[in-house]
Structures are given as C-alpha cells and as structure tokens.
Amino acid sequence: MIYHQRLGGTTHTFDGLVDLLAKATPRRSGDELAGCAAHSDAERAAAQWALAEVPLTTFLEDMVVPYETDEVTRLIIDGHDRAAFQAISHLTVGGLRDWLLAVAATPGAAATLAAVAPGLTPEMVAAVSKLMRNQDLIAVAHAVEVRAGFRTSIGVPGTLATRLQPNHPTDDPRGIAAAVLDGLLLGCGDAVIGINPATDSPQATADLLHLLDEVRQRFDIPTQSCVLSHVTTTLGLIEAGAPVDLVFQSIAGTEGANSGFGVNISLLREANEAGRSLRRGTVGDNVMYLETGQGSALSAGAHLGTGGKPVDQQTLETRAYAVARDLDPLLINTVVGFIGPEYLYDGKQIIRAGLEDHFCGKLLGLPMGVDVCYTNHAEADQDDMDTLLTLLGVAGCPFVIAVPGADDVMLGYQSLAYHDALYARKVLNLRPAPEFAAWLDNLGMLDPTGRILPTSPHASPLRALTRGAA
C-alpha cells in the first residue's frame, strides 16, 4: 500500500508500511546509514501523521519482514493472542497512543496493560513509540508492571536492581573477585553477577561459573550468576554438571540476524528447558538472560524486509522482544549505546533509544532492563548517562548494569558505576530487590530507611565480608 500525507503544501509519499515506519522514526544515524531515514524533519512529521492513521489490524496483514522467509515473523503472527487484541482491535496507531496514555493515568493501569500485552505485536508497539514524546514513553512504562524471579524478584514496584559486571581483560580470578566484592559492598548484584568472558573457552567459562558459585554460596548471597558465553557453550556445561544459574544469549529481530549469532528459536527453547531442568531457583524458574541492541540486524546485513526495503533499526529491535517473550526470561536488556555511533550517534539519540527500548519491552510483557552505556567514539558523555539513568528510574526500569568506575576495561566502553545505582535509588526512593535487601540488612549494611550505609576499611560490614575473602 502506498501512503500519502499532505503537509505544508507538499504531498509526501511513502512506499509501503516498511518505508512509512522508517520515515516516522526519530532521527538516528543507523537509519541514515541504512538509507531508510526521513530526508527532512518535514518528511518525518508527515510520516508520523500518516502512521497515526494506520489501523492496528494492518500489522496482522502487512508483514514488515516476510512470513514465508523469517521465523521471527512466524512466531509473531502464529503466537498472536486474538482474544487479548479485541480490546484495542478497533484502534489506529494514534488511537493506541491515546488509549495507552489514558490507561496509564488511571488506577489499575498495570492489570489493564498486562491483559492487552499478548495482543500487541512488536510492530504495533514500535509504531506507537514513534508517535510518543519521551514523557509519553516514561509515563506508560511507569504504569506497566512485569515481574520475574529466580533467587531474587525482578520488577517489583519501588525497586531498581543491578547487574554487577566484574569483567576482566584476562579473566583473572583475583581481579574479578575484587570487582565483585566492591559491587556487593555498594549494594549491587541483585539482578545478576554476570561476567563477559574474555574467551568462549568451555573450560574458562566453567572456571568462572565455579568462582561465582563459590562466592555466592560462601556468603549465602540471594542472587544469580551468569557467564555470558554462547548458548551452545552453556548447554555443554549444563550437560557436564557445571553450576549454571542463567542461560545467556544475544538475540535480534530477524531470522538472518539470529543466524549470525549462531542461534534459532528452537535452540533457544532447548536452552531454556535445559536451564529450568536444573531447578536452581528459589523464588521462580525464569532462567534466560537475553541482550539486544538497536543496529544488530543492520550490522549483520540482515535488516531487509518486505520488498527488499531496509527496516528501521528500532522496529527490528522491538521484533527481538518477540523472541524474548517466547522464552519468558528473568532478564533482558538493550545494550543501548554499545554498538557505536554508526547506529546511535550522540547522547540525544542514545537517550531516546533507551527510553524506546524500555517502553517497548515492558509493554510487550518483558522485565526490560537497560545497559546505560556509550562507546568512547560516540558524541556522548557521562552526563548523558546520568540523564538516561534518571529517566529510566522514573519510568520504572527493572534493572541496569554497573561496572567498576563506569569503565569496562575488558569490553572498552562506558557504562554506569556502582555508585550511580546508589544515586538513583536515593533520589528516586528505590530499593534493591527484596531478597537482596534483606541480605544486606542482615549484614548490617542498611540504615533504618533501607539505604546502603557509608563504609570504611574499619566498618563492620566490610570486615564481615573481607574476613571470608582473605
């Protein structure tokens, strides 16, 4: 279908739904690189105007990526809940925006939004996000409640959990242990203690898994560990009896991009079942940890949709959440600025993308976290990350990632520091995951209001941990 929109005396024409979605997207460098971005602000505004009039039912009939050639599309369409969709089936994309904002302002919003989530497709959610201001994305995401659990509960209202990321360029156990201890003493690690290994060697991965599991058991820490190796490596380690808590994998929004990661939906389902079969959780059985990022399909050359047209990176990112939703994960996060300025050029684009990803993921029913991050060659700095962290905290983000000093020396990018999580919890009146908060309190590390106590080399909580680690 060809879409036309007259604006300011000019008629703008959009060659199908794929083109319309791309042109309606807020400006970002990845879409410009792919050649699908709007050529002017006027064209973008016209595309958003036209997109607002598209019925939601169109997304069930006009595929962004062909059904016949893409298993992610088949997952989306075959798994669509028509009954849940009935409540909003009469709406256009613009009508959905108005409905979401109205619901978000009412008591009982969380239940209403949860009920409709199975009826939303990623393309519908991506489309409506393109019509929303940052304020709209925050308001609706704040109203959505999504919970998951393993040894800690993720997504409990009033909490902000953290992934403690103790990466080391050579996987030195002493360096990793020091980073873990540092993070724990600052109240981080309730989402997961997760290491990006320097290699994907099964033996090295097993060694790291045993290290983290020993620390966890030694101090009776209510959290989960993960070594972010390829899913096939983790499957082999499960068979070998390694202490695997969470099964990790990067995923994307097209079959071709997932193939580039060496995975498909069948393999991911197998891994999910294997992880659950270990029954290592205590408060839940969500075992998958998934990561995504705008631009991953483009970087794999797997971003073309119906008619061979490039699909915008935010729509493809949201399609990855269909894969995640099928796996019912404990954790999923977008590594929002990690892929580089070729896809998100500066702080403004990174902030917008982080809010979009969080909104879209939560609206689709996922415990959606964000790695608030950027690479050193992007036009961004830590002030931008402070802004995004604060906005995500207001929006009810389930978890963020924290590394020593905000500088990941192994992956070579900037994220959040452990202290940044303390800042967000303080100013936004948030707490760690409840099970983890109780552990901190038992160690004497919380004040009467639930805040992490300042520590020194002579403080009793520090002595309690370091005596065991010595």
Side-chain angles (χ1 to χ4, degrees), residues 14-64:
F14 306 100
D15 186 15
L17 187 59
V18 171
D19 187 44
L20 182 63
L21 287 166
K23 296 295 195 300
T25 305
R27 184 181 181 185
R28 59 206 54 190
S29 53
D31 292 337
E32 293 171 341
L33 179 64
C36 63
H39 295 97
S40 66
D41 289 339
E43 185 181 30
R44 183 174 297 109
Q48 291 171 340
W49 195 296
L51 181 61
E53 299 301 320
V54 174
L56 294 182
T57 51
T58 299
F59 295 94
L60 301 175
E61 302 158 358
D62 190 353
M63 303 296 102
V64 170

Side-chain angles (χ1 to χ4, degrees), residues 114-188:
V116 82
L120 291 167
T121 69
E123 290 86 353
M124 294 175 193
V125 172
V128 76
S129 75
K130 298 175 193 297
L131 306 183
M132 302 177 84
R133 293 169 52 189
N134 288 358
Q135 177 186 118
D136 301 337
L137 298 173
I138 293 167
V140 175
H142 178 80
V144 179
E145 182 180 326
V146 181
R147 299 196 191 196
F150 189 74
R151 292 194 191 95
T152 57
S153 301
I154 304 301
V156 176
T159 66
L160 175 65
T162 56
R163 169 185 163 188
L164 195 169
Q165 184 168 295
N167 295 345
H168 191 281
T170 63
D171 289 340
D172 184 341
R174 293 171 300 175
I176 289 171
V180 169
L181 180 60
D182 186 23
L184 291 172
L185 291 177
L186 289 169
C188 291

Side-chain angles (χ1 to χ4, degrees), residues 81-397:
D81 189 329
R82 299 276 177 155
F85 181 60
Q86 281 302 308
I88 55 171
S89 61
H90 61 289
L91 297 176
T92 63
V93 176
L96 177 60
R97 174 188 176 273
D98 294 343
W99 183 85
L100 289 170
L101 290 169
V103 169
T106 62
T112 302
L113 295 171
V116 82
L120 291 167
T121 69
E123 290 86 353
M124 294 175 193
V125 172
V128 76
S129 75
K130 298 175 193 297
L131 306 183
M132 302 177 84
R133 293 169 52 189
N134 288 358
Q135 177 186 118
D136 301 337
L137 298 173
I138 293 167
V140 175
H142 178 80
V144 179
E145 182 180 326
V146 181
R147 299 196 191 196
F150 189 74
R151 292 194 191 95
T152 57
S153 301
I154 304 301
V156 176
T159 66
L160 175 65
T162 56
R163 169 185 163 188
L164 195 169
Q165 184 168 295
N167 295 345
H168 191 281
T170 63
D171 289 340
D172 184 341
R174 293 171 300 175
I176 289 171
V180 169
L181 180 60
D182 186 23
L184 291 172
L185 291 177
L186 289 169
C188 291
D190 43 342
V192 63
I193 303 175
I195 303 172
N196 295 93
T199 74
D200 204 41
S201 155
Q203 185 57 57
T205 301
D207 290 344
L208 293 175
L209 284 169
H210 283 287
L211 169 65
L212 293 180
D213 199 56
E214 180 183 349
V215 170
R216 180 188 65 81
Q217 293 195 64
R218 191 171 190 177
F219 300 117
D220 197 23
I221 307 170
T223 190
Q224 35 282 331
S225 64
C226 185
V227 177
L228 282 66
S229 56
H230 192 268
V231 64
T232 53
T233 301
T234 305
L235 275 170
L237 291 172
I238 289 175
E239 293 176 1
V244 173
D245 286 344
L246 304 186
V247 179
F248 171 81
Q249 185 54 48
S250 295
I251 58 171
T254 68
E255 180 177 338
N258 283 323
S259 179
F261 286 136
V263 299
N264 56 39
I265 293 171
S266 176
L267 176 62
L268 293 170
R269 287 172 173 169
E270 177 188 349
N272 193 18
E273 290 304 311
R276 284 181 167 171
S277 72
L278 300 178
R279 302 185 182 279
R280 291 172 60 86
T282 55
V283 300
D285 66 348
N286 305 110
V287 299
M288 297 298 289
Y289 178 20
L290 306 168
E291 281 194 334
T292 67
Q294 288 195 27
S296 58
L298 175 57
S299 65
H303 63 293
L304 299 182
T306 299
K309 300 183 186 73
V311 183
D312 70 273
Q313 64 184 35
Q314 190 255 338
T315 297
L316 291 179
E317 165 72 8
T318 309
R319 281 170 52 91
Y321 305 157
V323 179
R325 185 162 62 174
D326 182 67
L327 299 169
D328 197 17
L330 176 74
L331 306 170
I332 171 175
N333 66 259
T334 169
V335 285
V336 65
F338 179 74
I339 304 181
E342 299 84 0
Y343 307 98
L344 296 169
Y345 179 73
D346 57 15
K348 181 180 178 65
Q349 292 187 12
I350 292 170
I351 290 167
R352 173 69 191 191
L355 294 176
E356 287 172 350
D357 294 351
H358 175 250
F359 161 84
C360 291
K362 282 188 76 177
L363 193 56
L364 287 167
L366 292 169
M368 191 75 201
V370 178
D371 187 355
V372 179
C373 64
Y374 64 101
T375 59
N376 288 314
H377 60 309
E379 290 294 321
D381 58 28
Q382 214 63 31
D383 286 340
D384 296 314
M385 301 305 103
D386 289 345
T387 299
L388 180 52
L389 170 62
T390 305
L391 295 175
L392 288 169
V394 173
C397 185

